[in-house]
Amino acid sequence: MRTIAEQGPSKRMNKQEMLEYMEQLEKRVGLVQSEIARLNHSHEKMKQDLRFLELMLLEEYHMLLQIMDRKQGTLRIHAK
């Protein structure tokens, strides 16, 4: 796929061709902006899911330590 610069308007474009070319560029910009918004939303969702899983894992470790030996109060797991 060629870049926009490589596909750029020829020097002999008339006004109508230039307007059509600008419209194509605006559509591309809109598509890219939509994709960026979708990816940002997906990224935030993944961060939330990861934090939830991290907290669940820490809880399970704490329960496991309690089950293994209730007498050893020196074993600890710390979150960031």
Side-chain angles (χ1 to χ4, degrees):
M1 182 174 195
R2 293 174 18 191
T3 65
I4 293 175
E6 292 169 340
Q7 295 175 1
S10 69
K11 294 179 182 178
R12 295 184 182 187
M13 272 191 176
N14 64 33
K15 185 177 179 178
Q16 181 62 35
E17 291 170 333
M18 185 62 78
L19 290 173
E20 289 172 6
Y21 180 73
M22 296 278 292
E23 188 176 314
Q24 289 174 0
L25 290 177
E26 288 172 355
K27 285 180 185 177
R28 285 185 193 170
V29 168
L31 291 173
V32 169
Q33 287 174 336
S34 297
E35 184 68 7
I36 289 171
R38 186 188 68 77
L39 290 172
N40 280 338
H41 177 74
S42 176
H43 176 72
E44 290 301 319
K45 175 85 170 93
M46 288 169 68
K47 281 179 18 182
Q48 290 174 357
D49 291 348
L50 185 59
R51 181 66 181 148
F52 172 77
L53 293 173
E54 179 184 343
L55 292 174
M56 292 296 294
L57 184 60
L58 283 171
E59 256 184 66
E60 289 179 13
Y61 278 140
H62 283 288
M63 289 188 326
L64 180 60
L65 287 174
Q66 289 175 357
I67 291 169
M68 286 174 57
D69 191 0
R70 292 180 184 268
K71 293 180 183 178
Q72 289 184 342
T74 59
L75 294 176
R76 294 176 193 251
I77 297 174
H78 298 277
K80 292 181 183 179

